[in-house]
């Protein structure tokens, strides 16, 4: 099975940077995904890591260390619209996703 | 809109009734997944299909739940004799699984919110 941990809540100021950590213990690893989910809406894909290192996509970056079972999502130049839940998900060798409980990020003016 | 669609978006039912949800995946996607999400939690895997074949069912999926994907396109999830504990958001996702390279990213539909009274 999969055990995925991420903080429950984080608060940051508009324009700032926030880093959301995710640790995992898995019986099989085939990639790590980050999704954004606004209240009442579907999760939307943000980033994907399968090899160690940093992947950058605009204001969002994601890092993976497979040996440490660790990932983080970095949100830069925060905007009010970034207020949402951020889900860390680990994919197994059958391509199924196991999700963490999500981190609710609140951006304040 | 060429994304994943689900119908209905909301369903309120009484305990003991049967309900059926539909998911239309992104065209050409060969994999379709069903997840359940409760408040404050991440989605939990229920079952998935590759084309029309159902490949795995989670232990969360009791005998009251059944899913089909008869022609390898849309899928239905039926819950019989609903219980209050079935109240949740039911999410569908689809992906294109290719051999070798490829991210096989799952794209989610808007979900069906089920309330069992």
């Amino acid at each position: 099975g999969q055990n995925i941990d991420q903080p429950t809540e984080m608060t940051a100021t508009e324009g700032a940077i926030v880093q959301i950590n995710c640790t995992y213990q898995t019986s099989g690893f085939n990639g790590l995904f980050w999704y954004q989910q606004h209240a009442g809406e579907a999760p939307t894909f943000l980033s994907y890591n399968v090899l160690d290192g940093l992947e950058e996509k605009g204001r969002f970056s994601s890092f993976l260390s497979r040996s440490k079972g660790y990932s983080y999502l970095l949100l830069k130049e925060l905007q009010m619209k970034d207020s949402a839940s951020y889900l860390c998900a680990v994919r197994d060798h059958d391509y199924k996703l196991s999700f963490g409980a999500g981190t609710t990020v609140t951006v304040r003016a | 809109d060429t994304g994943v669609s689900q119908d209905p978006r909301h369903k309120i039912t009484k305990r003991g009734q049967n309900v059926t949800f539909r998911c239309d995946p992104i065209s050409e996607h060969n994999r379709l997944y069903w997840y359940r999400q409760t408040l404050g939690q991440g989605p939990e895997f229920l079952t998935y299909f590759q084309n029309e074949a159902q490949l795995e069912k989670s232990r969360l999926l009791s005998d009251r739940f059944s899913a089909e994907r008869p022609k390898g396109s849309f899928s239905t999830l039926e819950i019989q004799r609903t219980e209050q504990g079935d109240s949740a958001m039911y999410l569908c996702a689809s992906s294109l699984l290719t051999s070798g390279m490829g991210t096989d990213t799952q794209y989610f539909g808007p979900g069906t919110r089920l309330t069992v009274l």
Side-chain angles (χ1 to χ4, degrees), chain B residues 1 9 22 28 63 67 79 91 96 100 105:
Chain B
D1 189 347
R9 296 290 306 276
R22 175 178 170 127
E28 306 302 323
D63 291 343
I79 309 175
L91 292 163
L96 177 63
T105 299

Side-chain angles (χ1 to χ4, degrees), chain A residues 13-76:
Chain A
T13 305
E14 196 173 16
I17 299 173
V18 69
Q19 177 175 315
I20 306 170
N21 296 323
C22 172
T23 57
Y24 62 89
Q25 296 173 312
T26 64
S27 56
F29 179 85
N30 188 23
L32 188 141
F33 290 77
W34 285 94
Y35 284 82
Q36 179 192 61
Q37 187 176 30
H38 286 99
E41 298 183 9
T44 55
F45 169 71
L46 287 179
S47 70
Y48 163 72
N49 296 72
V50 68
L51 300 176
D52 292 351
L54 187 68
E55 293 284 339
E56 297 186 85
K57 290 177 67 176
R59 295 188 298 114
F60 295 168
S61 303
S62 57
F63 171 84
L64 175 67
S65 170
R66 289 171 296 170
S67 62
K68 295 182 179 179
Y70 169 70
S71 173
Y72 68 73
L73 179 69
L74 196 68
L75 286 63
K76 294 177 280 189

